[in-house]
Amino acid sequence: MIGPTTNQAMGQRPPTGPLDGMAGPLSRRLGVHAPLSGDDLAALSRLAVRETVVVAHTDLVRQGEPAENAFLVVEGIAASYVQRASGARQILALLLPGDLCDPDLAHLEHWDHGIATLSHCRIARVPRAALEELIATRPAVALALRRTKLEAEARSRAWLAALGIGHATERLLRLFREIIDRMHALGLADRNEGPLPLTQVDMAECIGTSTVHVNRVLQELRRSGMVELKGSRLRLLDRAGLDTLAGE
Amino acid sequence: MIGPTTNQAMGQRPPTGPLDGMAGPLSRRLGVHAPLSGDDLAALSRLAVRETVVVAHTDLVRQGEPAENAFLVVEGIAASYVQRASGARQILALLLPGDLCDPDLAHLEHWDHGIATLSHCRIARVPRAALEELIATRPAVALALRRTKLEAEARSRAWLAALGIGHATERLLRLFREIIDRMHALGLADRNEGPLPLTQVDMAECIGTSTVHVNRVLQELRRSGMVELKGSRLRLLDRAGLDTLAGE
DNA sequence: CGACTAATTGATGCTATTCAACCACCGTGG
DNA sequence: CCACGGTGGTTGAATAGCATCAATTAGTCG
């Protein structure tokens, strides 16, 4: 009973084998931050279970629910968000392939935020116990997880500053840049072009403006030749100008 | 070379004994989250060294500097912030007595944000090595630190949402409420009244608006009998109405 | 072809910024 | 003692940025 924009259909798939690639993005992501051994990688590949396909705009966890298990985004884009009684939502962070919704949250008795898919996603569950054990027994994995979390926190700080200081144009450009850059780091996008499977409503909830305004800013960016956005494909046409406009 | 609003005068005091109370706020703060033994408390009291008195609006760490040691706020209010080349600042989080600037930041090669005092402060240094050792050898302390950090992250999420969703009035009220509530939890303020040693510029940098607007919102809040703010003393006169206006 | 979701447009008004003063308080030094 | 400089608070007018409401127009999919 959170808001009107949530539907709960969740297509279940038959359990898949441990090596069908769903741990791929996770280990690729973690491997960036610390060298992982073959054993580490094998353990990681056994971590994620019960992979499901989830349609866009579906809640995985709702605000106020008890904390059960963690989620891994295998494919697609999800997000953590806060929602008011009025229905207004603010997206806190994007979860891209290989991202694990914060493992430390186990200590919270109740979630103070929700998790929802933005695009079509493949989502795997990660049992708390298995995750804790992995952290306890595999220092390299634990280190990689810590560094990954530090990276997410740095992004969160940057977002907070952008929301406080920047105008809508800047914030939208930062959003685009973040998605392209992170996707590029995962090998899922070119340096200046990639998928952008978000609706304008999603973008508005990310950058804290109305959808109407997102639409107008977007048109201005297209007209000025800064970006190209057709269907769900985004191209950044003026990277230098973008980095200037988006603030340091 | 960050901005015009930084002065570096920092009055040094002669080293004080380990038990003169400067670890008081820290252990009181941590003790809330996990039971600490007498040994734990003794170890904590030896942690903070080189306490100094720092005047208001002084940088402790500047953006871009290498990460050296951690800081403990013994008295007063400090803050972490991000500053743009334009001079615009956004405060990310408040550091109240007993707060330690994030210990995990040791892993960052360079600070992506600065730390500065807002009011007059007593600040102690915490050597990284001693902190790491304490975490490694005293599980109760490590747990308390983790929980304290989780609490800070939850506050950060709430702020992000407020910046994205709320109007200036709401954000200012949330700021007031946060300060009073946290001060109250430390025994440094009544339930509805306490010190507010911030300038309107500081408030503006917290809630992401101009100082002029802070001033006007403040007047409206006074006129409507919501708050009373004289000198640096704040009283919340309508707690129920405040909680409504400040959003859930 | 409907039925739905997403994108677009226009008109209107509120919220907040900006610039530029001006005032009030406080501590300092002549 | 008062003149002085500095910081912080207050005010006004003009304007920019953005929200809101209400329609209308693509797309998309069964």
Side-chain angles (χ1 to χ4, degrees):
Chain A
M1 197 147 307
I2 302 274
T5 63
T6 57
N7 45 347
Q8 198 68 331
M10 191 183 286
Q12 187 94 18
R13 295 211 316 177
T16 51
L19 291 173
D20 71 335
M22 69 185 173
L26 178 57
S27 41
R28 201 181 326 160
R29 185 102 172 63
L30 295 182
V32 173
H33 290 106
L36 299 176
S37 70
D39 277 4
D40 291 333
L41 295 175
L44 276 175
S45 75
R46 281 189 300 272
L47 189 61
V49 297
R50 288 184 46 229
E51 184 180 326
T52 54
V53 170
V54 184
V55 302
H57 302 122
T58 307
D59 276 345
L60 300 176
V61 185
R62 290 188 155 117
Q63 229 167 304
E65 284 186 355
E68 280 178 3
N69 47 15
F71 294 91
L72 170 67
V73 177
V74 179
E75 191 185 318
I77 298 186
S80 57
Y81 68 88
V82 164
Q83 187 156 27
R84 293 277 170 84
S86 67
R89 287 209 322 183
Q90 174 63 44
I91 286 178
L92 302 171
L94 295 177
L95 299 172
L96 267 42
D99 281 333
L100 209 50
C101 78
D102 191 341
D104 290 337
L105 251 38
H107 298 258
L108 247 56
E109 60 301 344
H110 287 286
W111 291 73
D112 60 353
H113 61 279
I115 309 266
T117 58
L118 299 184
S119 72
H120 269 72
C121 286
R122 285 165 58 208
I123 302 287
R125 269 77 184 160
V126 174
R128 296 245 173 254
L131 185 60
E132 296 288 344
E133 193 205 328
L134 204 64
I135 291 173
T137 60
R138 303 208 160 265
V141 173
L143 180 62
L145 279 170
R146 268 185 80 177
R147 295 224 174 120
T148 302
K149 181 167 178 189
L150 278 178
E151 196 188 35
E153 285 168 6
R155 264 197 305 271
S156 172
R157 281 190 292 271
W159 260 120
L160 187 46
L163 275 181
I165 296 177
H167 285 203
T169 308
E170 173 192 327
R171 296 190 301 222
L172 190 57
L173 283 176
R174 289 179 89 102
L175 174 66
F176 290 164
R177 196 177 52 169
E178 174 179 333
I179 292 176
I180 292 288
D181 286 353
R182 288 175 68 184
M183 283 294 195
H184 177 63
L186 293 168
L188 298 174
D190 282 349
R191 180 90 187 80
N192 290 312
E193 181 179 357
L196 188 77
L198 304 189
T199 66
Q200 293 184 358
V201 175
D202 297 329
M203 298 177 206
E205 290 174 346
C206 280
I207 70 174
T209 67
S210 67
T211 58
V212 175
H213 199 57
V214 164
N215 184 290
R216 286 174 174 144
V217 168
L218 203 41
Q219 287 177 54
E220 178 56 35
L221 287 177
R222 281 194 268 239
R223 206 173 313 129
S224 68
M226 191 69 85
V227 305
E228 191 178 303
L229 179 53
K230 282 192 296 207
S232 61
R233 191 118 202 118
L234 171 69
R235 289 182 62 187
L236 308 179
L237 300 174
D238 179 7
R239 191 57 180 234
L242 187 156
D243 288 342
T244 305
L245 258 182
E248 68 237 59
Chain B
M1 199 145 309
I2 303 275
T5 62
T6 58
N7 46 349
Q8 199 68 330
M10 192 183 285
Q12 187 93 19
R13 292 211 318 178
T16 51
L19 292 174
D20 71 334
M22 67 186 175
L26 178 57
S27 42
R28 201 181 327 161
R29 186 104 171 60
L30 295 182
V32 173
H33 291 106
L36 300 177
S37 70
D39 277 5
D40 291 333
L41 294 176
L44 276 175
S45 76
R46 281 189 300 271
L47 189 61
V49 297
R50 287 183 48 229
E51 184 181 327
T52 55
V53 170
V54 184
V55 302
H57 301 122
T58 306
D59 276 347
L60 300 176
V61 185
R62 292 189 152 113
Q63 229 166 303
E65 283 184 356
E68 280 177 5
N69 47 15
F71 293 92
L72 169 67
V73 178
V74 180
E75 191 185 318
I77 298 187
S80 56
Y81 67 89
V82 164
Q83 187 156 29
R84 293 276 170 85
S86 67
R89 290 209 321 184
Q90 174 64 43
I91 286 177
L92 303 171
L94 295 177
L95 299 172
L96 268 41
D99 281 332
L100 209 50
C101 78
D102 192 341
D104 290 337
L105 251 37
H107 298 259
L108 246 56
E109 60 301 343
H110 287 286
W111 290 72
D112 60 353
H113 61 279
I115 310 267
T117 59
L118 299 184
S119 71
H120 269 72
C121 285
R122 285 164 59 207
I123 302 287
R125 271 76 186 160
V126 176
R128 296 243 175 257
L131 186 60
E132 295 290 345
E133 194 206 326
L134 204 64
I135 290 173
T137 59
R138 303 207 159 267
V141 172
L143 180 61
L145 279 170
R146 267 185 81 176
R147 296 223 173 119
T148 302
K149 180 166 178 189
L150 278 179
E151 196 189 34
E153 284 168 7
R155 264 196 306 270
S156 172
R157 281 191 290 271
W159 260 120
L160 187 46
L163 275 181
I165 296 177
H167 286 204
T169 309
E170 174 192 327
R171 296 190 301 224
L172 190 57
L173 283 177
R174 289 179 89 102
L175 174 65
F176 290 163
R177 196 177 52 170
E178 174 179 334
I179 292 177
I180 292 288
D181 285 355
R182 287 174 68 184
M183 284 292 194
H184 178 61
L186 293 168
L188 298 173
D190 281 351
R191 181 89 187 82
N192 290 313
E193 180 179 357
L196 188 78
L198 304 189
T199 66
Q200 293 184 358
V201 175
D202 296 330
M203 298 176 205
E205 289 174 347
C206 280
I207 69 174
T209 68
S210 66
T211 57
V212 175
H213 199 56
V214 164
N215 184 291
R216 284 172 178 148
V217 169
L218 204 40
Q219 286 177 55
E220 178 56 35
L221 287 177
R222 280 194 270 239
R223 206 173 314 126
S224 69
M226 190 69 85
V227 306
E228 190 178 302
L229 179 55
K230 282 191 296 202
S232 62
R233 192 115 202 119
L234 171 70
R235 290 182 62 187
L236 309 178
L237 299 173
D238 179 7
R239 191 56 181 235
L242 188 157
D243 288 342
T244 305
L245 258 182
E248 69 237 58

